[in-house]
Amino acid sequence: MHAIEKILARASGKDSVRAGEIVNCRVDLAEVNDLYPQTIHSFYEMGGRRVHSPDRITFILDHYAPASSIQQAENQKFMREFCREQGIELLFDVNSGVCHQVMVDHGLVYPGMVLIATDSHTTTHGALGAFGTGVGATDLAVILATGHLWLRVPEILRIHLTGRLSVGVYAKDVILHIIGRLGADYAIYKAVEFTGPVVKELSVSERMALCNMTTEMGAKCAYIQPDQVTLGFLKGKVKRNLEPVETDPDFQYAEELFFDVSAIPPQLAVPSSVDNVRPLSELVGTPVHQAYLGSCTGGRAEDLAVAARILKGRRVHKDTRLVVVPASRDVFLEALQRGDVAALVEAGATFVTPGCAACLGTHEGILAAGEVCIASTNRNFPGRMGHTQSAVYLGSPAAVAAAALNGRITDPCEILAELERKES
């Protein structure tokens, strides 16, 4: 069996499972965000009175942090009251950040667990060897009531990464390239595992970016086999014995794909589809009104450090806004201590509350008609970050910072190569 199958077998009390099988799994952690007050309504409509396992439930108020309308404020109040009534102590309020980063920061994610959340980018947690997937309000309400949820065991495809990343090329470029080659519907209800020497060299932050974006190719979940990088990252965060699950050596994947990252230059997803991907070099010179650095894909401390390195001692272009949204409070504090916040603010960046912010087009940096934005986020559909007649390009944090510097799409490789020459 594959590690993912072993995780689902253990969660469902079975010796083994296979692709296509329906299993009823014990959920180790269920997360609800402030987009989904319907989860609570559905819980009561099902006859729920007390949640099954309050210690395995977390509510994270991240999408509207802080509330920008009366309705949002009412929804958040409703969720706070529910948590108090039900004895749910894992409530993270509007000062915490994006759910996927907050759960990792607080040691709630670990190898071998089943994590289900009301957010499609829960695939992120495959980077730590967890089975993570997103569901809607009704399914999450079932978990609140029973502690379990049925799942279909997914087929598993393997993406093997070889070669060496060039200076200025990041995990975001790699996954955009893959999505552009395969398409937005290639992995519908499949699990995507990343393997190969390139993966072993990636930080946990970069692994999270890879797994996060598998949602944009339809994946049910993602997976990277935990190694010493994983275990070192989790040490001190997770208060339990870590027991990574191993895939059997004779396991047969539904499909195996191979990519040489040495040949991948910086990439951009072009409006208005994540699988409409082109080399950044073909778009150099495109004017940019806003550069947006943040989200559960590209708002971690490493991402802010890359941007600070490019912009330190320089100024954001006079015709461009740089909006920075740390993925969490812990990310913000780390960037503050490292001096990256100061470097970005002095360069002209605007910082907003850690959370989802303009990534979902509701507040803190939304776009007007005709405006162009380059973002380190995960989606660029029409209206995703504001007006339906705005345009969003998706790229790496380095590409975002380079565009902010010059007011137009710019190859970050040239800037970073120059910095390396100076530093050497």
Side-chain angles (χ1 to χ4, degrees):
M1 289 191 295
H2 191 275
I4 290 172
E5 295 174 333
K6 291 181 180 181
I7 292 170
L8 295 179
R10 184 166 62 187
S12 58
K14 292 174 170 282
D15 292 330
S16 64
V17 299
R18 64 183 185 279
E21 184 176 348
I22 302 296
V23 292
N24 192 38
C25 292
R26 178 187 187 275
V27 177
D28 295 299
L29 184 67
E31 186 270 334
V32 185
N33 65 47
D34 50 344
L35 274 180
Y36 284 90
Q38 181 59 47
T39 302
I40 300 172
H41 294 304
S42 295
F43 169 76
Y44 287 130
E45 289 165 3
M46 292 173 183
R49 301 183 70 179
R50 302 296 301 177
V51 299
H52 185 275
S53 303
D55 60 327
R56 292 192 276 129
I57 299 167
T58 180
F59 278 69
I60 304 178
L61 311 185
D62 59 353
H63 280 64
Y64 308 124
S68 61
S69 72
I70 293 172
Q71 185 60 61
Q72 292 168 12
E74 292 287 352
N75 291 344
Q76 291 175 348
K77 177 186 175 186
F78 179 49
M79 289 183 159
R80 294 183 189 107
E81 291 172 347
F82 181 78
C83 288
R84 282 195 293 270
E85 291 168 2
Q86 296 289 331
I88 298 169
E89 295 184 1
L90 293 173
L91 167 66
F92 296 93
D93 219 306
V94 297
N95 62 337
S96 301
V98 183
C99 60
H100 303 304
Q101 189 64 39
V102 170
M103 288 188 282
V104 171
D105 288 348
H106 289 267
L108 300 179
V109 184
Y110 53 89
M113 76 180 298
V114 173
L115 191 169
I116 299 185
T118 55
D119 191 277
S120 58
H121 291 102
T122 310
T123 55
T124 303
H125 304 288
L128 297 174
F131 176 91
T133 197
V135 299
T138 305
D139 284 336
L140 210 295
V142 170
I143 302 172
L144 296 187
T146 69
H148 288 69
L149 185 68
W150 72 267
L151 296 162
R152 178 161 62 87
V153 180
E155 291 183 321
I156 302 166
L157 67 87
R158 176 189 182 212
I159 296 179
H160 192 75
L161 303 178
T162 60
R164 190 175 183 84
L165 291 171
S166 301
V167 174
V169 177
Y170 298 87
K172 181 66 171 292
D173 299 298
V174 173
I175 191 61
L176 284 177
H177 176 78
I178 292 170
I179 294 170
R181 288 279 301 275
L182 301 181
D185 60 353
Y186 192 86
I188 289 177
Y189 214 100
K190 294 178 181 177
V192 176
E193 181 182 11
F194 294 100
T195 64
V198 175
V199 177
K200 292 182 179 299
E201 296 296 320
L202 293 178
S203 65
V204 168
S205 176
E206 289 285 85
R207 295 177 186 193
M208 289 174 72
L210 272 184
C211 291
N212 175 282
M213 291 288 293
T214 59
T215 298
E216 309 311 325
M217 52 195 288
K220 182 64 176 177
C221 66
Y223 190 77
I224 293 175
Q225 180 62 44
D227 57 12
Q228 290 307 309
V229 172
T230 319
L231 300 180
F233 175 84
L234 292 175
K235 185 178 181 180
K237 287 182 182 289
V238 177
K239 309 252 184 320
R240 62 168 59 232
N241 291 329
L242 299 177
E243 299 176 349
V245 184
E246 300 277 349
T247 297
D248 293 334
D250 61 348
F251 177 76
Q252 296 294 309
Y253 291 89
E255 188 174 3
E256 297 189 65
L257 303 168
F258 298 85
F259 291 87
D260 180 359
V261 304
S262 304
I264 299 177
Q267 306 281 295
L268 289 180
V270 177
S272 295
S273 175
V274 183
D275 60 355
N276 184 15
V277 178
R278 292 165 59 186
L280 181 148
S281 59
E282 295 180 7
L283 301 154
V284 166
T286 304
V288 170
H289 301 97
Q290 179 167 290
Y292 186 94
L293 181 65
S295 84
C296 56
T297 313
R300 282 175 281 277
E302 284 184 24
D303 304 318
L304 271 60
V306 168
R309 187 177 179 216
I310 289 172
L311 288 164
K312 186 174 183 179
R314 303 179 179 184
R315 292 288 301 175
V316 170
H317 192 275
K318 63 182 180 62
D319 295 327
T320 302
R321 311 179 298 274
L322 173 59
V323 178
V324 182
V325 193
S328 71
R329 179 176 55 192
D330 286 4
V331 165
F332 179 70
L333 288 172
E334 181 179 343
L336 190 65
Q337 292 162 1
R338 290 166 54 161
D340 295 332
V341 172
L344 290 167
V345 170
E346 288 166 2
T350 297
F351 271 77
V352 303
T353 308
C356 298
C359 181
L360 71 155
T362 57
H363 64 156
E364 295 182 321
I366 60 176
L367 302 171
E371 288 196 312
V372 174
C373 177
I374 183 170
S376 64
T377 58
N378 44 50
R379 287 180 176 158
N380 64 344
F381 312 137
R384 172 69 181 184
M385 293 184 70
H387 202 286
T388 56
Q389 293 178 21
S390 62
V392 178
Y393 293 81
L394 303 178
S396 73
V400 171
L405 178 65
N406 291 328
R408 61 186 184 277
I409 292 175
T410 301
D411 189 341
C413 297
E414 299 172 4
I415 298 172
L416 289 167
E418 180 186 347
L419 287 171
E420 288 200 354
R421 284 194 296 271
K422 289 181 179 179
E423 291 168 359
S424 62

